[in-house]
Every structure is written in structure tokens, then in C-alpha cells.
Amino acid sequence: MAKKEFSIVIAGGGSTFTPGIVMMLLENQDRFPIRKLKLYDNDAERQGVLGEALTILLKEQAPTLEFSYTTDPKEAFTDVDFVFAHIRVGKYAMREADEKIPLKYGVIGQETCGPGGIAYGMRSIKDMLELVDYMEEYSPAAWMLNYSNPAAIVAEATRVLRPDSRILNICDMPVGTLRRMSQIVGTTPEQLEVRYFGLNHFGWWTSVKDKETGHEYLDEIKAYVAKHGYLTQVEVDTQHMDESWQETHKKAKDLLAIEPRFLPNTYLKYYFYPQDEVAHANPEYTRANEVMDGREKEVFSAAQEIIDQGTAKSNAFNIDSHASFIVDLARAIAFNTGKRMLLIVENNGAIANFDDDAMVEVPCIIGSDGPEPLTQGKIPSFERALMLQQVTVEKMVVEAYIEKSYQKMWQALSLSKIVPNARVAKELLDDLIEANKDFWPELK
Ligand code: NAD
Ligand code: G6P
Ligand code: MN
């Protein structure tokens, strides 16, 4: 039998994460061989810089790999086995608006949580559906592995509007945090097996075990987190390392204090301690500004250097847990590996006392037919109530998109745990509508 070789398109080719994923694919050629790699973006200029640099790099490091980049959907989506999606609708300019507008009202401004995440969700739905449709038209047997945020709202929108599509929505935060846990107990992330329940950016670990011996590390990790949060001594990643991320890892200590039974996802800080976050925020300079001045500059200037020098011999792009996760997932589908990974899937009983039609984040076994979610049993009423509130916000945003309903968006914002009241929700909504007029459907 001929050796299996795969064809991949990266949608959002101009993403700061594209070079890392390409490097990861190169490093995994023996485990996950690829014959063709394409980039697709709707911003030719942005993608062109990475495309040109990667052309030079790949010629040197993988001369037989067929590589191209395009803004033409037909060219991009024809003859592919996997679509790796990481688009940012509205780019960093709109992330900046999502973060800064809520702060005017003393409310957290965040990429995926609260009003910022709701605004971003409303922007992402249309373009994500478009990507799914391109895939179904040009490569109907392909799988889309999607990082594009807000993953929770994208997952709900595709569940409702493209129920048969082969899209799997994923998040790198639990993977990044698992790396930290493995450091805390002195092992490797590969050696650990977890139980976890929640929504995207809203969940808890209930078990972290050694895969072979079955030794339960939960108490040991909790004892560490109670003192230091997930802050570890050695650099565990190239991602989630900036000063503001260090604060986030540290804050897990306060998240464990309110729920000492489980290990928290760091994103819960926006829901449990929103005022602390607002107090530390600089309304003139938010995470979007840090990323534009940091990761975006680094990645694009490294690419420009490769172009200027005509060689990538003296340059390297970082590979982080983000890249390793998506490649592992593709490999699990391609080779039916049965690897256990956290994915965002329709609940259908995985969390026994939670709605069947909620998109939840739980461990799954991944094979060539996709994910088989593992049952996590019943969850306590505290978490269940918090999750129900949050998942209802996510569902209402999708309903508001479908019905073009101003009223539903107002209700969704009012329901968000971090928006103080309906008056603020309405003022925020009116501001967000104005800022998003090029992206949102017109609400009635
Ligand atoms: P980025 O702005 O650098 O890259 C996004 C790219 O998408 C841009 O080049 C943009 O032109 C392109 N794009 C926008 N709309 C498009 C469309 N309709 N079709 C094709 N291309 C389009 O952003 P980034 O910081 O690198 O992040 C990329 C995405 O990945 C974001 O959505 C981010 O939130 C997400 N992300 C998710 C996770 C996760 O855990 N799920 C982790 C990291 C990043
Ligand atoms: C984590 C989350 C992603 C989010 C990213 C933001 O990785 O899982 O969903 O997009 O953080 O990171 P940034 O460095 O862009 O602020
Ligand atoms: Mn995420």
C-alpha cells in the first residue's frame, strides 16, 4: 500500500500562529507525512509576507513538499484532507475595540469572555460558515480543525447551522496548563491522563493521573496551585509567557480557593474576579496592543528577514503547545490513533446532568471517525449553574445572529456574569453595534 500522505490548507494563513504550525508539521513528517500544504487568507498582503518567507524556508527544509498560498477559495480548498482554521474576523483592530469598549463601562474587555467575546462571536459566525461551506464544496471528505475564536460560539453556531459538517473545535489553554502541571509534579504532559468538564474557557480538572501507574496527582498539584497558581519556575512554552499571562497563571490560586475540589481553567478569573481585572487593566493599552507590539512584530519581522536575506538558514520560528496540539489531533484522525484529547463537542450525556445540546469541553478518544466523548458523570450544582448561565449566553448570541435580534443580544449581554446590569448591557450593545457595523448583521 502506498504511504499515506496528506494535504492541508491553513485558513487564516496570515495568522501569527501559521509559521509555528508549519514548523511543527515539518518536525512531524515521519509521524504525519504531508504532500501538499497551502495557506488561505482574505488579506493577500498580510498572508503574502508569511507565504513568501515560508516558500524560502520550505524550499530549504522540505524541497519535495508542494507549497502555495492563495486568496482564492477554490484553489485553497480543493484536494485537501484537513483544514486548519485560525481566522480572526476584524483582525487585531477589532480585538482592540472588543477589549477597550467594555472598559469604558468598568466591565472586563477580553478576547473571548464577556462583551468582547460576544462581539467577536457575532463577527466570526458568518466567515466560519463560509469556510465550512468552501470545505464541503471543494473537499467534502475533509476535516476542519478549528482554533478560530470565540471557539464556544463558533462551535454552537456550526452545531445549529451546519449540523453535519466535519468541524472540530479546539482550544490550546488546557494543553498549555497541562504542561505546567507536568512540571509541577516532575513528569511529561504525555505521561498524564485527565478528567475534565466544562465549556470552552470555562472548566475544571477533576483528575490528573499518571497514565501507566494510575497515580492520582490532583492533591499534589492543588497544594502547589494553592501557593503559586500555575506559575512554574522553568519556561514551559513559548506561548502564554508575557507578563500579563504570568499574572493569569498566578491568579489560578484564587480560583482554586473558591472551588477547592477541582483544578480551574485560568479563564475562570474573568468570571470570578472581574473587578480585580478591571482594576489592573489599562484602558489605553490592552492585550491586543501587547500582541501587536509583541508576537505580531516578532513573527512578521522574522518573516521579513527571511525574505530580505533570501534564506531561512539563520532564522527559526517558535513551536508551541498550540502547534503540537493541532498536529496531534490531525494525526489521530489520519491514523486512527485513539489518542485522548480535550475537544469542544455536543454534550449528549458526557456530563450526565447537563443539557444534551450544549457544546461542552470534555476528554474524547479520537479516531478516524472523529471524537468519542468520554462520560464525566454528574457535576456539582455550583459549576452546573455557572455553566448553564454561560452556555445560555453563547446560545443566545447564535440565536440573535440567526434572528438578527437586538432584543436577544441585549438579553445575552445582560445574562453574562460579568455585565453588571441591563442598562450597562444596553449602552454597551449600542457601542458595540456602532464599532461592528462592517461585520455584524443589522439587528432589528
Ligand atoms: P491574526 O490576526 O494574526 O491572524 C488571523 C488571520 O485571519 C489574519 O491574517 C486575517 O487576515 C485572517 N482572516 C480573517 N478573516 C478571514 C476570512 N474570512 N477568511 C480567511 N482569512 C481570514 O490572529 P492570531 O492572533 O494569530 O489568532 C488567530 C486566531 O486563532 C484567532 O481567532 C485567535 O483567537 C485564535 N486562537 C485560538 C486559540 C484557541 O485556543 N482556540 C489559541 C490561539 C489563537
Ligand atoms: C489562549 C486561549 C486562546 C486565546 C489565546 C490568546 O491560548 O486558549 O483561545 O486566543 O490564549 O492569547 P494572546 O497571546 O493572543 O492574548
Ligand atoms: Mn482557547
Side-chain angles (χ1 to χ4, degrees):
M1 197 178 96
K3 196 168 111 187
K4 267 197 197 169
E5 290 190 327
F6 300 89
S7 169
I8 296 172
V9 61
I10 301 182
S15 157
T16 56
F17 291 102
T18 294
I21 292 176
V22 172
M23 297 313 291
M24 190 72 201
L25 286 168
L26 278 189
E27 210 170 77
N28 279 274
Q29 278 295 0
D30 51 337
R31 301 164 68 234
F32 182 56
I34 48 173
R35 59 184 166 88
K36 200 190 259 191
L37 177 62
K38 294 182 265 188
L39 307 186
Y40 166 74
D41 205 289
N42 61 4
D43 181 337
E45 203 185 324
R46 184 179 177 88
Q47 174 173 257
V49 180
L50 300 185
E52 214 181 314
L54 287 169
T55 304
I56 296 168
L57 185 146
L58 290 168
K59 235 181 229 148
E60 291 173 349
Q61 299 188 19
T64 58
L65 177 65
E66 209 180 302
F67 175 73
S68 60
Y69 53 102
T70 179
T71 54
D72 175 32
K74 185 173 179 193
E75 200 182 319
F77 287 82
T78 300
D79 180 31
V80 296
D81 303 301
F82 292 98
V83 179
F84 289 4
H86 55 199
I87 63 169
R88 183 183 289 289
V89 180
K91 295 184 266 195
Y92 289 126
M94 288 310 296
R95 176 175 181 176
E96 190 177 356
D98 291 344
E99 292 170 350
K100 291 184 177 174
I101 291 170
L103 283 173
K104 288 202 286 181
Y105 301 87
V107 175
I108 281 293
Q110 214 281 325
E111 183 194 23
T112 63
C113 303
I118 291 172
Y120 188 14
M122 207 59 169
R123 284 200 303 280
S124 292
I125 296 172
K126 181 169 122 304
D127 288 24
M128 282 307 302
L129 295 176
E130 190 180 82
L131 292 188
V132 169
D133 292 344
Y134 289 147
M135 178 174 82
E136 296 199 334
E137 181 175 358
Y138 300 117
S139 286
W143 285 90
M144 183 179 292
L145 312 184
N146 178 55
Y147 266 133
S148 315
N149 268 320
I153 292 174
V154 170
E156 172 63 9
T158 48
R159 185 191 72 82
V160 174
L161 295 166
R162 297 293 184 276
D164 300 322
S165 64
R166 307 213 312 169
I167 177 171
L168 296 179
N169 296 286
I170 55 174
C171 175
D172 62 17
M173 198 70 238
V175 196
T177 305
L178 192 70
R179 276 199 186 187
R180 290 173 179 275
M181 292 181 189
S182 71
Q183 277 230 328
I184 292 168
V185 299
T187 182
T188 60
E190 294 74 32
Q191 195 58 31
L192 296 174
E193 189 164 270
V194 307
R195 288 174 65 77
Y196 181 99
F197 73 87
L199 312 170
N200 180 230
H201 291 183
F202 203 102
W204 294 265
W205 283 266
T206 58
S207 170
V208 182
K209 275 189 178 166
D210 184 282
K211 222 180 248 176
E212 278 150 47
T213 66
H215 176 76
E216 179 59 78
Y217 285 117
L218 200 66
D219 287 343
E220 188 181 338
I221 302 172
K222 275 196 224 166
Y224 183 96
V225 174
K227 283 198 196 122
H228 314 286
Y230 294 119
L231 211 57
T232 49
Q233 297 306 314
V234 190
E235 296 207 351
V236 285
D237 214 333
T238 46
Q239 208 188 345
H240 309 138
M241 289 307 290
D242 289 347
E243 188 54 39
S244 55
W245 270 112
Q246 306 293 358
E247 287 303 316
T248 297
H249 303 313
K250 223 188 283 174
K251 191 74 180 171
K253 175 183 166 175
D254 296 344
L255 299 173
L256 180 66
I258 175 122
E259 173 49 287
R261 286 176 288 188
F262 310 131
L263 285 164
N265 187 300
T266 53
Y267 274 91
L268 289 165
K269 75 170 187 174
Y270 297 111
Y271 301 93
F272 282 123
Y273 301 101
Q275 282 77 16
D276 299 9
E277 295 305 313
V278 172
H280 288 132
N282 176 354
E284 305 297 324
Y285 194 85
T286 58
R287 180 65 192 155
N289 301 106
E290 279 180 13
V291 174
M292 287 186 272
D293 290 341
R295 186 174 68 240
E296 188 184 37
K297 278 217 169 80
E298 281 159 29
V299 169
F300 280 82
S301 54
Q304 195 54 53
E305 223 174 278
I306 293 174
I307 297 168
D308 293 344
Q309 294 171 351
T311 171
K313 294 221 162 80
S314 52
N315 296 78
F317 290 113
N318 291 328
I319 300 181
D320 45 32
S321 46
H322 178 88
S324 69
F325 187 59
I326 197 165
V327 173
D328 277 353
L329 177 58
R331 199 180 113 76
I333 295 170
F335 294 106
N336 196 32
T337 66
K339 194 174 165 73
R340 181 171 169 152
M341 305 174 90
L342 296 196
L343 297 188
I344 303 161
V345 291
E346 190 163 348
N347 185 35
N348 286 328
I351 299 169
N353 54 345
F354 203 61
D355 299 22
D356 276 349
D357 66 356
M359 292 306 282
V360 296
E361 199 164 293
V362 289
C364 300
I365 299 292
I366 323 288
S368 49
D369 292 329
E372 285 180 54
L374 295 170
T375 52
Q376 301 302 300
K378 286 190 179 164
I379 59 173
S381 36
F382 179 56
E383 282 77 8
R384 187 167 169 267
L386 290 161
M387 281 167 56
L388 190 57
Q389 179 179 24
Q390 177 59 21
V391 85
T392 307
V393 172
E394 291 158 6
K395 282 178 174 293
M396 290 189 73
V397 173
V398 174
E399 286 169 22
Y401 173 89
I402 295 168
E403 297 164 22
K404 300 187 171 48
S405 167
Y406 180 97
Q407 196 73 25
K408 279 222 164 129
M409 271 302 265
W410 183 15
Q411 289 175 352
L413 280 159
S414 306
L415 187 62
S416 174
K417 185 165 162 54
I418 64 184
V419 176
N421 61 55
R423 177 183 53 75
V424 171
K426 190 166 196 303
E427 288 169 7
L428 255 167
L429 177 56
D430 292 337
D431 248 10
L432 291 171
I433 287 174
E434 180 57 29
N436 284 279
K437 57 179 182 300
D438 294 341
F439 301 96
W440 285 12
E442 199 175 327
L443 303 179
K444 303 181 288 262

